Amino acid sequence: MADGGSVQMSTTAKPTDSDDSGDCRVPVQGYDVHNSGDDGNSGIIEVVATVASLVLLVITLPFSLLFTFKVVQEFERAVIFRLGRLRSGGARGPGVFFVLPCIDTYCKVDLRTVSFDVPPQEVLTKDSVTVSVDAVIYYYIKEPLNAVVRVSNYSHSTRLLAATTLRNVLGTRNLSEILSEREAISHNMQSSLDEATDPWGVKVERVEIKDVRLPVQLQRAMAAEAEAAREARAKVIAAEGEMKASRALKEASDIISESPSALQLRYLQTLNTISAEKNSTIIFPLPLDIISPFLKGFAGPARSE
């Protein structure tokens, strides 16, 4: 089985030419596939080739059974062509199916979810900033017949379409939107890819933006801007703290000035705080009542002047 969910073509023999003129239609998932060729002549050739193949099968028994019975896994489907025409009945599998030697060919399609990385894309954003963005895409085959008949290589086509869609979607966004709205961008990409790949039978499950790389000069400029903004906020916060502290001190001083006992309690609390620490500071408590007459004496001459 090919890597990346690619189609693996297996043949039992080279199919017979059918270049006759005419019109033959085989429905493929709601569509009509038109093949040129005379309907009557093609039908006769197909009958003759089928009979010859059955005769060859009977003659070469039991060795021919090794080439006529094929097996597909639970996660695979087989699309069978007979003389270049899609056989009716849709995709075969899982399990055993039968092909005729020399006239039947078949393709195996993997139905499991496949993921691939979109190579980093250099994108010019809406605000003229060049960024490098890569993503990861998850998809699976919803309609095996369309995946084989409608597109040559659905895996390669999906990869190219994903890279183009990534560039187109990011080109309509600003840098700030790309950095902050990754989920919305991923959803937009998934919708666009799913709509474009639906005729191919491919279902895009999920799109994720892996990384957004900025130029070095832009990174330095953004870092300097962020640092300056942080410093400005720190200065504003420090100034607001100083203002609140000065207001609190003013209110405390007003309260203490109204009650002398409050000042004495504050004095004792300060002594307790200093004595609790292990240091060599020597404190001589001095009652405020002793120095209060001197304070009044100094205050008197000052008022008289």
Side-chain angles (χ1 to χ4, degrees):
M1 186 181 305
D3 255 351
S6 58
V7 177
Q8 181 184 16
M9 174 72 77
S10 175
T11 62
T12 55
K14 185 176 180 181
T16 312
D17 258 346
S18 55
D19 322 353
D20 305 287
S21 59
D23 189 18
C24 178
R25 299 184 181 184
V26 180
V28 179
Q29 299 298 329
Y31 300 96
D32 285 339
V33 178
H34 300 267
N35 294 325
S36 61
D38 181 35
D39 197 25
N41 294 339
S42 298
I44 295 173
I45 293 174
E46 183 175 352
V47 171
V48 173
T50 303
V51 172
S53 178
L54 289 173
V55 171
L56 179 62
L57 175 63
V58 173
I59 293 174
T60 56
L61 282 175
F63 301 102
S64 58
L65 297 179
L66 300 175
F67 303 97
T68 55
F69 287 100
K70 305 295 180 181
V71 179
V72 290
Q73 305 296 327
E74 183 69 30
F75 51 84
E76 294 177 331
R77 295 295 182 271
V79 180
I80 304 176
F81 296 89
R82 176 162 294 176
L83 295 177
R85 297 181 179 181
L86 185 66
R87 290 194 60 186
S88 60
R92 305 301 198 274
V96 181
F97 64 95
F98 179 79
V99 294
L100 290 177
C102 304
I103 62 173
D104 284 352
T105 60
Y106 70 95
C107 305
K108 283 186 180 181
V109 180
D110 195 334
L111 303 184
R112 293 175 294 183
T113 299
V114 179
S115 62
F116 65 88
D117 291 326
V118 179
Q121 303 293 314
E122 294 288 339
V123 181
L124 184 64
T125 62
K126 190 176 180 180
D127 50 354
S128 301
V129 178
T130 302
V131 295
S132 178
V133 184
D134 57 348
V136 59
I137 312 294
Y138 298 86
Y139 73 93
Y140 67 92
I141 300 302
K142 180 176 62 174
E143 300 292 347
L145 298 183
N146 288 347
V148 174
V149 177
R150 287 292 177 182
V151 62
S152 174
N153 189 332
Y154 64 84
S155 177
H156 183 64
S157 301
T158 304
R159 292 171 186 268
L160 294 180
L161 184 62
T164 305
T165 305
L166 179 63
R167 297 174 66 91
N168 293 339
V169 171
L170 295 181
T172 61
R173 301 297 184 102
N174 295 325
L175 177 61
S176 58
E177 295 175 347
I178 294 175
L179 296 176
S180 61
E181 300 179 3
R182 294 192 181 187
E183 186 175 353
I185 294 174
S186 299
H187 181 70
N188 191 7
M189 279 191 60
Q190 191 233 338
S191 301
S192 301
L193 282 173
D194 194 26
E195 182 180 358
T197 58
D198 185 67
W200 304 342
V202 176
K203 172 66 176 178
V204 178
E205 280 187 319
R206 191 178 183 88
V207 177
E208 291 292 341
I209 303 296
K210 288 178 61 179
D211 189 20
V212 179
R213 289 186 289 274
L214 305 176
V216 178
Q217 295 84 356
L218 182 59
Q219 293 181 16
R220 293 175 179 173
M222 294 178 66
E225 180 184 0
E227 185 178 358
R230 286 194 297 269
E231 290 180 356
R233 286 197 299 270
K235 291 179 179 179
V236 170
I237 293 172
E240 291 177 352
E242 291 291 339
M243 182 178 63
K244 292 179 180 178
S246 62
R247 288 178 180 175
L249 289 175
K250 180 180 180 298
E251 293 176 0
S253 63
D254 292 340
I255 295 173
I256 292 175
S257 63
E258 294 176 358
S259 175
S261 61
L263 181 61
Q264 183 69 23
L265 291 175
R266 181 60 183 167
Y267 172 69
L268 295 175
Q269 184 180 4
T270 304
L271 291 178
N272 185 29
T273 303
I274 296 174
S275 62
E277 298 179 358
K278 295 180 180 181
N279 51 34
S280 58
T281 306
I282 299 174
I283 303 173
F284 294 97
L286 183 63
L288 294 178
D289 296 337
I290 298 177
I291 62 174
S292 56
F294 298 98
L295 294 176
K296 292 179 181 178
F298 283 113
R303 289 178 182 177
S304 61
E305 291 177 1

